[in-house]
Amino acid sequence: NDVKVNIKWVSAEDLEKDNRAGKHLAGIDGLLVPYGFGERGTEGKIRAIRYVRENKIPFFGICFGMQLAVVEFARNVVKLRDANSAEVKETPNNVIDLMEEQKGITEKGGTMRLGSYACTIKRGTKTYDTYKAVNITERHRHRYEFNNRFREQMAAAGMVFSGINPDKDLVEIIEIPNHPWFIACQFHPELKSRATKPHPLFREFVKACKKYNRYKKTNAGR
């Protein structure tokens, strides 16, 4: 993309103490919410995701970042106010839940969903435009997944499930079509990204941020 990426680190906990997301995210051209575990900082991340979704700023979520994007959409678009991940809090609307094969596991160790898995990309999506392919494989490291019980409801509200594991019908990639670039994935694209061959999701996210930066400069003062 012929740009230098300047990273602005934002503490999700600061966003929990002071919910003025615009203040903490001032000047950004895109938001990346990466992977993580547990409850710490989750509400701050959700506030940040809501801000960029509503203000049409490019967003990329990875693993836990995707899960919290689903929670944010469920709460504020689908209006399931108690929506959450079962990893954070048990509610009647756990749009993210423990995978079925994980529910009987007591010894955690190396028992996550690990390794490379197939994913089928939906044509006509930004994800398809990114990969230019229908069948891909990506590497995983997680226990929680999108709860398919909510898929129809979320789709009716505008969320697109652009990547699906064909073997277990698991949601691997989500996107919002009426947004410049809002894509999140359950897998870890950084594990297949190289300095001379960046992962297509990182490449296109940076391209979207570059485009947004130009848009801001063009429309400054209007």
Side-chain angles (χ1 to χ4, degrees):
N1 287 294
D2 196 29
V3 294
K4 178 183 178 181
V5 176
N6 298 308
I7 299 175
K8 175 180 180 178
W9 296 95
V10 178
S11 168
E13 289 178 294
D14 288 346
L15 271 163
E16 290 184 334
K17 297 170 188 173
D18 175 7
N19 65 7
R20 292 175 294 174
K23 168 190 168 185
H24 295 278
L25 303 178
I28 68 167
D29 299 313
L31 175 71
L32 168 64
V33 176
Y35 39 87
F37 293 93
E39 183 179 1
R40 180 172 171 239
T42 55
E43 292 301 320
K45 293 174 186 178
I46 290 169
R47 286 172 179 169
I49 294 168
R50 181 178 186 178
Y51 179 82
V52 297
R53 178 181 60 79
E54 293 181 341
N55 288 278
K56 308 293 186 184
I57 300 171
F59 168 76
F60 185 23
I62 298 175
C63 198
F64 197 45
M66 185 204 90
Q67 294 172 2
L68 294 183
V70 169
V71 171
E72 188 281 321
F73 190 89
R75 287 183 187 178
N76 299 307
V77 179
V78 185
K79 305 303 180 184
L80 301 174
R81 297 301 187 189
D82 63 343
N84 216 320
S85 166
E87 181 180 3
V88 177
K89 183 179 180 181
E90 290 284 349
T91 80
N93 290 302
N94 282 135
V95 291
I96 303 296
D97 203 1
L98 193 63
M99 300 174 69
E100 284 299 320
E101 59 264 38
Q102 293 285 327
K103 291 182 178 179
I105 294 175
T106 55
E107 296 295 327
K108 299 301 183 183
T111 56
M112 290 183 173
R113 186 186 184 216
L114 297 167
S116 183
Y117 291 89
C119 179
T120 302
I121 305 298
K122 184 177 181 180
R123 293 182 184 273
T125 61
K126 285 188 174 69
T127 302
Y128 180 80
D129 291 341
T130 296
Y131 280 95
K132 301 291 193 295
V134 171
N135 300 305
I136 63 167
T137 58
E138 293 286 0
R139 292 173 62 184
H140 293 252
R141 189 175 189 274
H142 61 102
R143 299 182 192 281
Y144 291 81
E145 262 282 359
F146 180 91
N147 187 341
N148 279 332
R149 182 163 64 90
F150 295 91
R151 193 190 292 187
E152 186 176 338
Q153 196 173 3
M154 299 280 275
M159 180 169 281
V160 171
F161 303 100
S162 50
I164 302 292
N165 173 262
D167 301 313
K168 294 190 176 182
D169 194 36
L170 299 174
V171 172
E172 305 284 41
I173 311 172
I174 62 102
E175 66 178 70
I176 297 175
N178 60 341
H179 191 283
W181 209 89
F182 191 106
I183 295 178
C185 57
Q186 181 57 70
F187 49 83
H188 287 260
E190 74 280 2
L191 297 177
K192 295 180 71 173
S193 202
R194 300 293 180 267
T196 57
K197 190 179 180 182
H199 190 284
L201 286 172
F202 284 112
R203 183 195 66 225
E204 295 304 304
F205 172 57
V206 172
K207 183 184 290 185
C209 294
K210 179 181 178 180
K211 185 176 180 180
Y212 180 79
N213 178 273
R214 288 179 173 174
Y215 169 81
K216 284 196 308 184
K217 290 178 178 177
T218 300
N219 292 274
R222 290 187 180 181

